[in-house]
Amino acid sequence: MTSSISAWIWSERFWLPENVSWADLEHPPPGVEYPRVGQVLYAMPLAFFVFLLRLLFERLVAKPCARILQIQAGVPRRAQPNVVLERLYQSKMCPDTRQLEGLSKQLDWDVRKIQRWFRIRRNQDRPSTQKKFCESMWRFTFYLGIFFYAIRHLWVSPWMWDTRHCWYNFPFQPISPGQYNYYIAELAFYWSLMFSQFTDIRRKDFTVMLVHHMATIILITFSYANNMLRAGTLVMCVHDASDIFLEAAKLANYAKYQRLCDGLFVVFSISFFLTRLVIYPFWIVYSVLFESWEIVGPYQAWWLFNGLLLVLQTLHIIWFYLITRIAIKAIFKGKVSKDDRSDIESSSDEENCSSFSKREIYF
């Protein structure tokens, strides 16, 4: 049963071009190494190590930096214990008008008091500024390090300068130590992010980020097994580039360096536009769509990968629209740390619920 399911998942007819088998990739010529599906399993224990490294980094490096910048952990005000309200809160953080009126009759509380309870309870679950600073500092450090590692490897790779090299002799392309290390490091990092979601304070975007991390892990795993490493390294490098500036802007925001935050966010907006709306579609996606068709020809997995890349490009367009709105406010109003991404408690409970449902698009 297990073997038949595995054979169905890893069907050669689906994943590989015509007249290519997994056996061809498992037995390369002497002195040549091709990617093997089993190698991605090494990322699992490495992900645990990355998770432990993150905890040490946040405790020994990020937290002292936060204290130097006078970013305090803070102790949120705790909501009055109430079994009825807590039960509803676990299913719906912002009750509607009908539910508020029902609770008011059931508890003999006025509606404003119930709204206030939910507002305090939401704030109680929000991570402190110091915790968010530590998390962003860890991601900033990783993205910066892995980006320069990727550039160091890609700079001497012919497919960075001519993407047609991604498809010459595909899938019989030897894997280099640099490619292997880069892929496994990225895969371990995203596995560690998924693990940490279950140990960190649960946030409103929990489900969205869980799906994002799972999709990223699946794409990295399947592109490795399919030996699309050359195109894959380009995709990952392009995405890491703009994330560096986003995390840097977050750090400045948490440290209350407003002008630096605004400037970094504008730089992030520009880098996001160049990498994900120019380089990614017109250089990488173009190569996967048209150059691979010309050199290799389409096969079943080819349609899947191109479909996912185009879905990702659609998300880039949506995200850039949101980023542009924030960047315009940063340029003309100097309000990057507030408005759509504010963590500051609203004076109005209705505004608080409304902003809570949309809060922290990026911060």
Side-chain angles (χ1 to χ4, degrees), residues 316-361:
H316 291 164
I317 294 170
I318 296 171
W319 289 334
F320 186 70
Y321 166 73
L322 300 173
I323 292 168
T324 303
R325 291 178 57 188
I326 299 169
I328 289 172
K329 292 179 182 180
I331 295 171
F332 296 105
K333 298 181 181 180
K335 292 185 178 180
V336 162
S337 63
K338 299 182 177 63
D339 298 303
D340 291 339
R341 293 157 297 105
S342 178
D343 279 338
I344 299 173
E345 197 175 279
S346 172
S347 59
S348 165
D349 290 290
E350 290 184 7
E351 289 175 6
N352 187 273
C353 271
S354 176
S355 64
F356 185 82
S357 65
K358 301 180 293 183
R359 72 182 177 84
E360 286 195 337
I361 295 171

Side-chain angles (χ1 to χ4, degrees), residues 36-270:
R36 298 183 183 180
V37 178
Q39 291 173 330
V40 299
L41 297 177
Y42 298 144
M44 296 297 290
L46 184 59
F48 182 71
F49 172 77
V50 171
F51 179 68
L52 293 179
L53 182 63
R54 171 201 160 182
L55 297 179
L56 289 173
F57 178 89
E58 290 183 1
R59 178 182 291 272
L60 302 178
V61 180
K63 196 169 286 187
C65 289
R67 293 197 189 101
I68 291 172
L69 294 170
Q70 298 182 340
I71 302 173
Q72 302 300 323
V75 179
R77 179 182 171 188
R78 302 192 71 81
Q80 175 185 343
N82 188 294
V83 176
V84 175
L85 296 180
E86 183 65 31
R87 188 184 303 118
L88 177 60
Y89 176 81
Q90 295 301 325
S91 60
K92 191 171 185 180
M93 295 181 181
C94 291
D96 55 35
T97 304
R98 184 180 59 80
Q99 289 173 318
L100 288 171
E101 291 174 352
L103 290 169
S104 178
K105 294 177 181 178
Q106 181 180 355
L107 300 174
D108 196 24
W109 287 13
D110 61 54
V111 172
R112 292 292 294 178
K113 184 176 180 180
I114 297 172
Q115 288 176 324
R116 193 177 303 113
W117 188 94
F118 275 92
R119 185 185 66 214
I120 295 171
R121 185 65 182 84
R122 286 192 299 269
N123 289 338
Q124 183 179 317
D125 276 355
R126 291 178 182 174
S128 67
T129 302
Q130 185 184 94
K131 181 171 179 59
K132 291 189 290 185
F133 177 89
C134 293
E135 290 177 359
S136 287
M137 191 169 182
W138 162 247
R139 288 194 295 266
F140 170 79
T141 304
F142 176 84
Y143 290 139
L144 186 66
I146 202 69
F147 174 75
F148 280 108
Y149 181 86
I151 287 295
R152 179 175 173 269
H153 161 69
L154 289 170
W155 198 263
V156 295
S157 302
W159 56 89
M160 180 170 179
W161 311 106
D162 181 3
T163 52
R164 295 176 67 86
H165 282 277
C166 291
W167 314 110
Y168 291 145
N169 202 34
F170 176 84
F172 302 107
Q173 298 170 338
I175 181 174
S176 69
Q179 287 175 306
Y180 174 78
N181 294 336
Y182 184 38
Y183 250 77
I184 296 301
E186 288 275 13
L187 188 57
F189 177 71
Y190 281 102
W191 271 117
S192 72
L193 286 182
M194 198 169 72
F195 296 156
S196 65
Q197 280 202 280
F198 295 94
T199 59
D200 291 342
I201 295 173
R202 189 182 180 95
R203 300 184 183 177
K204 185 173 177 62
D205 62 352
F206 175 88
T207 303
V208 174
M209 294 310 298
L210 185 66
V211 172
H212 172 271
H213 297 332
M214 278 303 302
T216 302
I217 288 168
I218 291 170
L219 278 171
I220 293 175
T221 301
F222 284 156
S223 65
Y224 186 90
N226 193 244
N227 202 10
M228 280 192 175
L229 270 67
R230 295 182 178 183
T233 51
L234 295 176
V235 171
M236 291 189 295
C237 184
V238 162
H239 281 75
D240 288 339
S242 59
D243 287 339
I244 295 170
F245 297 106
L246 174 60
E247 298 303 331
K250 287 183 180 181
L251 293 174
N253 178 51
Y254 300 144
K256 300 189 184 304
Y257 289 110
Q258 187 61 54
R259 290 192 177 182
L260 178 59
C261 172
D262 294 346
L264 285 170
F265 193 82
V266 171
V267 173
F268 161 69
S269 303
I270 295 170

